[in-house]
Amino acid sequence: REFIDFRLQWEGKINRAELVDHFSISTQQASADLARYADLAPDNLIYDKSAKVYRAGPNFKSLSAASDAKQYLSQLMDVASGTASSASSFIGWLPPSDVIHYPARPVDTRSLLRILWAIRDREEIRVTYQSMRRPSASAVWIAPHAFGNDGLRWHVRAWSHADGEFRDFVVSRIQGITSARATEIDPADDSLWFSHLDIAIRPRDGLTPDQRRAVEIDYGMKKGRLVINCRKALVFYVLRQLHLDRPGTASILEQPLEYERTPELQGLIAAAS
């Protein structure tokens, strides 16, 4: 049903051969699937005898909630970036498109496996880690319990015995894992990971009414605000991805956003800086 919905909405037509090719089913099964769809939404498709295709009806209304712009662009990005094949996508006709590829953060497979096992088996591990706060790599014991991604790189959330607190460790900076042992660290004690905070984003003062409206549309704001709920441990990364980690350093045209400062939010930012 979702596939038929998708092709009718985004390409305006579908035929049996498309179902046969995509799902490797028989022509009879494809006909039955289209007939079942027609029973559910008779106004959604009209058979064009001359072209031998079903066309989207003028009163087409998607049956699938996921058949929206977000799903289409997500599939287009997957195909354009090479993370998915065109055969696995619901998209039939591909428009010209491209995706910017950022430098990869290589992660050692063996290290990732060992971290996964440590989380699964409630272990702590001795890692050789290159922190940007230290001139050279050092060996530290950490008790990992979760992964986080800031949009560009993966972190492992872990208790650091050296620092006496839960911290984020960039996975690609873990140069080796030499030992493991059972841990008594309880992940539930990581209050910043297991609690959430709302970050309210709004257009900056000084924009014209039309510019302000454009920003509101760009970010899907309601009544001039966008509220992002995230883990407190990830607050700094959210602001950094929105280029809000250094307020006041960019012009209003370069950065038309600002966040609503609250004492709790400011405290989390200061602790992460």
Side-chain angles (χ1 to χ4, degrees), residues 13-18 34 46-55:
K13 60 184 178 63
I14 191 171
N15 59 31
R16 292 180 302 177
E18 293 175 51
L34 285 166
I46 299 170
Y47 187 65
D48 183 339
K49 293 182 179 179
S50 60
K52 297 183 179 180
V53 297
Y54 289 92
R55 299 194 182 279

Side-chain angles (χ1 to χ4, degrees), residues 115-127:
I115 296 169
L116 288 168
W117 297 341
I119 295 174
R120 181 194 63 192
D121 300 334
R122 294 291 302 276
E123 292 181 327
E124 52 191 44
I125 51 180
R126 189 171 186 263
V127 304

Side-chain angles (χ1 to χ4, degrees), residues 58-99:
N59 298 317
F60 175 87
K61 185 176 181 181
S62 175
L63 293 178
S64 306
S67 188
D68 57 15
K70 182 178 179 180
Q71 186 200 33
Y72 182 90
L73 292 174
S74 176
Q75 290 197 31
L76 183 61
M77 177 177 285
D78 288 343
V79 175
S81 64
T83 58
S85 66
S86 57
S88 65
S89 169
F90 281 6
I91 300 175
W93 173 79
L94 285 167
S97 56
D98 202 353
V99 174

Side-chain angles (χ1 to χ4, degrees), residues 213-227:
R213 179 59 180 157
V215 171
E216 292 173 356
I217 293 173
D218 279 347
Y219 291 91
M221 294 182 180
K222 295 181 179 179
K223 297 182 179 180
R225 297 170 80 242
L226 170 65
V227 177

Side-chain angles (χ1 to χ4, degrees), residues 156-206:
V156 59
R157 186 75 177 170
W159 173 266
S160 168
H161 283 280
D163 299 293
E165 63 181 0
F166 287 99
R167 298 184 67 90
D168 299 331
F169 294 84
V170 180
V171 179
S172 59
R173 293 181 187 162
I174 295 177
Q175 299 177 354
I177 300 175
T178 56
S179 306
R181 64 192 183 195
T183 186
E184 296 181 359
I185 301 299
D186 186 352
D189 291 334
D190 188 356
S191 59
L192 293 182
W193 180 263
F194 289 102
S195 56
H196 291 71
L197 179 76
D198 285 341
I199 304 174
I201 307 297
R202 64 193 179 197
R204 284 173 64 180
D205 291 336

